[in-house]
């Protein structure tokens, strides 16, 4: 089974790039993985076997003939709901980015117990910002929880991108929330209307057509759920925290000391995630609430 954060692993390895990551994730929505890719993703065949089968006339006949897969395993693969990693793997094959054997190795390597793609990406970002990774462990913990929440509540693959994180990301609305107590932390997502609508529809399951009060309520409720999970996790580390009410502003870019920003790419578009232990400062001193 591939890593839960397989797309982040691919970006860290350079298989995906900051320029094509969003496009590749979007394409993965509209593909049906072949049986060979499903078998690789689930670890039923290895890279050497994959190479043999890729050179065979027919995958099913060859897999059965070589006793690499049983008829029952093949039947289960046909009925399985594909994981996001398998869909992305199929896109990489279709686009000629990797071959079947290379894809097998990527699945295998990402599944290793010591492979932590999000932790690696955040660590590299902190180093590039000349920040001590040991002093900002909360960023790693929060970002991993954030990406997991997008997978769980938005039913989407997602990754974070290093470099100029806001480059090419159209942003209009900022929804943010502060947490206090043992650890002071303010987090926010800045996005355009299309991305906000996509997130609101996926989170609520409702048909929404405009960025209105209901759409904003959906994003703010997502923040409540996500950050509620975070403070529960922190309480398990004997750090009690509480939540302020989430806020949404239009055309507000958070500033201040020690504001970290990360570019997030999903299947439905990109946005910017902000984190700060000192809170957000806006140009006029206070945000204009929606």
């Amino acid at each position: 089974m591939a890593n839960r954060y397989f797309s982040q692993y691919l970006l860290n390895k350079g298989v995906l790039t900051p320029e094509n990551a969003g496009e590749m994730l979007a394409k993965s929505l509209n593909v049906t993985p072949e049986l060979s890719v499903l078998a690789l993703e689930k670890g039923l065949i290895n890279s050497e076997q994959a190479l043999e089968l890729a050179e065979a006339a027919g995958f099913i006949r060859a897999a059965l003939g070589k006793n690499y897969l049983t008829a029952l395993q093949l039947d289960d693969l046909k009925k399985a709901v594909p994981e996001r990693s398998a869909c992305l793997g199929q896109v990489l094959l279709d686009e000629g980015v990797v071959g079947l054997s290379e894809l097998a190795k990527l699945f295998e390597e990402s599944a290793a117990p010591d492979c932590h793609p999000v932790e690696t990406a955040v660590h590299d970002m902190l180093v590039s910002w000349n920040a001590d990774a040991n002093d900002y462990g909360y960023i790693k913990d929060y970002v991993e929880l954030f990406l997991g929440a997008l997978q769980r509540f938005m039913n989407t693959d997602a990754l974070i991108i290093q470099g100029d994180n806001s480059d090419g990301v159209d942003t209009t609305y900022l929804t943010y929330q502060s947490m206090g107590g043992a650890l002071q932390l303010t987090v926010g997502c800045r996005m355009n209307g299309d991305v906000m609508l996509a997130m609101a529809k996926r989170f609520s399951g409702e048909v929404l057509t405009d960025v209105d009060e209901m759409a904003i309520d959906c994003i703010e409720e997502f923040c409540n759920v996500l950050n509620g999970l975070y403070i529960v996790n922190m309480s398990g580390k004997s750090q009690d925290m509480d939540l302020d009410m989430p806020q949404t502003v239009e055309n507000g870019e958070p500033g201040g000391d020690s504001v970290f920003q990360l570019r997030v790419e999903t299947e439905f578009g990109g946005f910017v995630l902000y984190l700060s232990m000192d809170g957000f400062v806006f140009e006029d001193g206070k945000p204009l609430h929606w």
Side-chain angles (χ1 to χ4, degrees):
M1 186 70 70
N3 194 292
R4 179 181 182 183
Y5 302 106
F6 183 61
S7 59
Q8 186 71 59
Y9 171 77
L10 294 175
L11 183 66
N12 295 353
K13 290 278 289 185
V15 178
L16 294 178
T17 68
E19 294 74 26
N20 71 12
E23 178 185 3
M24 292 295 189
L25 292 183
K27 287 182 176 180
S28 71
L29 279 173
N30 301 307
V31 300
T32 301
E34 297 174 359
L35 290 179
S36 56
V37 175
L38 293 174
L40 287 175
E41 191 275 332
K42 294 186 179 301
L44 298 177
I45 57 176
N46 58 38
S47 56
E48 290 78 13
Q49 294 168 337
L51 185 58
E52 286 185 51
L53 296 176
E55 297 171 347
F59 175 80
I60 293 179
R61 181 179 299 177
L64 289 172
K66 294 177 179 292
N67 294 318
Y68 290 161
L69 294 170
T70 67
L72 180 59
Q73 286 174 321
L74 287 166
D75 189 53
D76 288 341
L77 289 176
K78 293 176 183 178
K79 297 176 181 177
V81 177
E83 299 288 345
R84 295 294 190 195
S85 52
C87 295
L88 183 55
Q90 186 65 55
V91 171
L92 296 178
L93 285 176
D94 294 343
E95 297 290 321
V97 177
V98 299
L100 193 64
S101 181
E102 184 180 356
L103 180 61
K105 291 180 180 178
L106 291 170
F107 280 142
E108 290 174 2
E109 291 170 359
S110 75
D114 60 348
C115 183
H116 304 287
V118 178
E119 180 177 346
T120 298
V122 173
H123 179 273
D124 291 346
M125 287 182 184
L126 290 170
V127 171
S128 70
W129 295 333
N130 295 317
D132 189 338
N134 294 323
D135 292 338
Y136 292 95
Y138 73 93
I139 292 183
K140 174 190 70 67
D141 294 340
Y142 188 87
V143 171
E144 188 156 354
L145 178 66
F146 182 82
L147 294 181
L150 287 177
Q151 292 179 351
R152 177 180 176 185
F153 297 113
M154 304 291 184
N155 191 30
T156 184
D157 199 353
L159 52 80
I160 54 172
I161 295 179
Q162 301 182 47
D164 187 353
N165 299 300
S166 61
D167 185 35
V169 179
D170 178 21
T171 54
T172 303
Y173 303 98
L174 169 69
T175 299
Y176 68 98
Q177 188 170 33
S178 295
M179 293 166 270
L183 175 68
Q184 303 290 325
L185 180 62
T186 299
V187 295
C189 297
R190 190 164 173 240
M191 65 197 75
N192 65 26
D194 290 341
V195 171
M196 175 172 272
L197 277 175
M199 292 181 70
K201 287 189 287 188
R202 284 168 177 255
F203 182 70
S204 67
E206 300 290 338
V207 177
L208 302 171
T209 57
D210 297 300
V211 179
D212 54 17
E213 185 176 350
M214 183 174 181
I216 292 173
D217 284 345
C218 289
I219 301 303
E220 291 183 352
E221 181 57 26
F222 170 68
C223 289
N224 272 326
V225 172
L226 166 65
N227 295 328
L229 290 172
Y230 182 73
I231 64 175
V232 167
N233 290 347
M234 295 304 292
S235 68
K237 300 179 181 180
S238 299
Q239 291 185 299
D240 293 330
M241 301 175 66
D242 51 58
L243 284 176
D244 290 344
M245 293 293 292
Q247 307 287 342
T248 298
V249 301
E250 188 174 0
N251 298 321
E253 182 175 1
D257 296 332
S258 301
V259 176
F260 295 97
Q261 68 178 57
L262 312 172
R263 177 176 162 189
V264 181
E265 285 292 344
T266 73
E267 298 164 352
F268 50 79
F271 59 93
V272 181
L273 173 66
Y274 297 88
L275 306 97
S276 175
M277 293 187 72
D278 299 321
F280 295 160
V281 176
F282 296 87
E283 287 186 5
D284 60 357
K286 62 178 181 179
L288 175 65
H289 295 294
W290 181 269

PDB file of all heavy atoms in Angstrom, residues 28 41 64 103 112 123 131 144 157 269 279:
ATOM      1  N   SER A  28      -6.028  13.393 -12.072  1.00  0.00           N
ATOM      2  CA  SER A  28      -6.266  12.116 -11.376  1.00  0.00           C
ATOM      3  C   SER A  28      -7.735  11.910 -11.024  1.00  0.00           C
ATOM      4  O   SER A  28      -8.144  10.792 -10.715  1.00  0.00           O
ATOM      5  CB  SER A  28      -5.403  12.041 -10.115  1.00  0.00           C
ATOM      6  OG  SER A  28      -5.869  12.933  -9.106  1.00  0.00           O
ATOM      7  N   GLU A  41       0.009  -0.647  -6.441  1.00  0.00           N
ATOM      8  CA  GLU A  41      -0.304   0.226  -5.316  1.00  0.00           C
ATOM      9  C   GLU A  41      -0.604  -0.567  -4.060  1.00  0.00           C
ATOM     10  O   GLU A  41      -0.257  -0.155  -2.952  1.00  0.00           O
ATOM     11  CB  GLU A  41      -1.477   1.130  -5.695  1.00  0.00           C
ATOM     12  CG  GLU A  41      -1.759   2.270  -4.738  1.00  0.00           C
ATOM     13  CD  GLU A  41      -2.642   1.859  -3.577  1.00  0.00           C
ATOM     14  OE1 GLU A  41      -3.447   0.915  -3.760  1.00  0.00           O
ATOM     15  OE2 GLU A  41      -2.533   2.465  -2.510  1.00  0.00           O
ATOM     16  N   LEU A  64      -1.584 -14.489 -14.077  1.00  0.00           N
ATOM     17  CA  LEU A  64      -2.046 -15.821 -13.668  1.00  0.00           C
ATOM     18  C   LEU A  64      -1.031 -16.889 -14.075  1.00  0.00           C
ATOM     19  O   LEU A  64      -0.737 -17.805 -13.296  1.00  0.00           O
ATOM     20  CB  LEU A  64      -3.408 -16.118 -14.299  1.00  0.00           C
ATOM     21  CG  LEU A  64      -4.606 -15.334 -13.761  1.00  0.00           C
ATOM     22  CD1 LEU A  64      -5.834 -15.582 -14.615  1.00  0.00           C
ATOM     23  CD2 LEU A  64      -4.887 -15.710 -12.310  1.00  0.00           C
ATOM     24  N   LEU A 103       7.247   3.214 -11.450  1.00  0.00           N
ATOM     25  CA  LEU A 103       6.097   3.475 -10.589  1.00  0.00           C
ATOM     26  C   LEU A 103       6.047   2.472  -9.451  1.00  0.00           C
ATOM     27  O   LEU A 103       5.745   2.830  -8.293  1.00  0.00           O
ATOM     28  CB  LEU A 103       4.802   3.419 -11.398  1.00  0.00           C
ATOM     29  CG  LEU A 103       3.507   3.668 -10.624  1.00  0.00           C
ATOM     30  CD1 LEU A 103       3.485   5.056  -9.996  1.00  0.00           C
ATOM     31  CD2 LEU A 103       2.288   3.480 -11.527  1.00  0.00           C
ATOM     32  N   ALA A 112       7.654   2.590   2.855  1.00  0.00           N
ATOM     33  CA  ALA A 112       8.631   2.244   3.888  1.00  0.00           C
ATOM     34  C   ALA A 112       8.260   2.913   5.215  1.00  0.00           C
ATOM     35  O   ALA A 112       7.759   4.036   5.233  1.00  0.00           O
ATOM     36  CB  ALA A 112      10.026   2.684   3.463  1.00  0.00           C
ATOM     37  N   HIS A 123      10.192  20.229   7.122  1.00  0.00           N
ATOM     38  CA  HIS A 123      11.567  20.418   7.619  1.00  0.00           C
ATOM     39  C   HIS A 123      12.395  21.192   6.606  1.00  0.00           C
ATOM     40  O   HIS A 123      13.109  22.143   6.960  1.00  0.00           O
ATOM     41  CB  HIS A 123      12.209  19.068   7.909  1.00  0.00           C
ATOM     42  CG  HIS A 123      13.626  19.154   8.392  1.00  0.00           C
ATOM     43  ND1 HIS A 123      14.698  19.211   7.520  1.00  0.00           N
ATOM     44  CD2 HIS A 123      14.161  19.237   9.639  1.00  0.00           C
ATOM     45  CE1 HIS A 123      15.819  19.299   8.201  1.00  0.00           C
ATOM     46  NE2 HIS A 123      15.518  19.314   9.493  1.00  0.00           N
ATOM     47  N   ALA A 131      14.859  28.867   9.799  1.00  0.00           N
ATOM     48  CA  ALA A 131      14.184  28.626  11.076  1.00  0.00           C
ATOM     49  C   ALA A 131      14.638  27.284  11.635  1.00  0.00           C
ATOM     50  O   ALA A 131      14.888  26.341  10.880  1.00  0.00           O
ATOM     51  CB  ALA A 131      12.670  28.636  10.889  1.00  0.00           C
ATOM     52  N   GLU A 144       0.497  18.283   8.781  1.00  0.00           N
ATOM     53  CA  GLU A 144       0.138  16.884   8.529  1.00  0.00           C
ATOM     54  C   GLU A 144      -1.325  16.641   8.865  1.00  0.00           C
ATOM     55  O   GLU A 144      -2.040  15.957   8.117  1.00  0.00           O
ATOM     56  CB  GLU A 144       1.041  15.945   9.332  1.00  0.00           C
ATOM     57  CG  GLU A 144       0.854  14.487   8.971  1.00  0.00           C
ATOM     58  CD  GLU A 144       2.072  13.634   9.284  1.00  0.00           C
ATOM     59  OE1 GLU A 144       3.109  14.181   9.672  1.00  0.00           O
ATOM     60  OE2 GLU A 144       1.951  12.414   9.126  1.00  0.00           O
ATOM     61  N   ASP A 157      -6.994  14.706  -2.786  1.00  0.00           N
ATOM     62  CA  ASP A 157      -5.561  14.619  -2.554  1.00  0.00           C
ATOM     63  C   ASP A 157      -5.035  16.038  -2.390  1.00  0.00           C
ATOM     64  O   ASP A 157      -5.619  16.986  -2.918  1.00  0.00           O
ATOM     65  CB  ASP A 157      -4.889  13.936  -3.745  1.00  0.00           C
ATOM     66  CG  ASP A 157      -3.521  13.388  -3.407  1.00  0.00           C
ATOM     67  OD1 ASP A 157      -3.029  13.653  -2.290  1.00  0.00           O
ATOM     68  OD2 ASP A 157      -2.923  12.699  -4.264  1.00  0.00           O
ATOM     69  N   GLY A 269      -7.849  22.941  -7.108  1.00  0.00           N
ATOM     70  CA  GLY A 269      -7.204  24.237  -7.149  1.00  0.00           C
ATOM     71  C   GLY A 269      -6.245  24.460  -5.998  1.00  0.00           C
ATOM     72  O   GLY A 269      -6.145  23.632  -5.078  1.00  0.00           O
ATOM     73  N   GLY A 279      -0.194  35.699  15.940  1.00  0.00           N
ATOM     74  CA  GLY A 279      -1.433  36.242  15.404  1.00  0.00           C
ATOM     75  C   GLY A 279      -1.198  36.979  14.096  1.00  0.00           C
ATOM     76  O   GLY A 279      -0.061  37.180  13.669  1.00  0.00           O
TER      77      GLY A 279
END
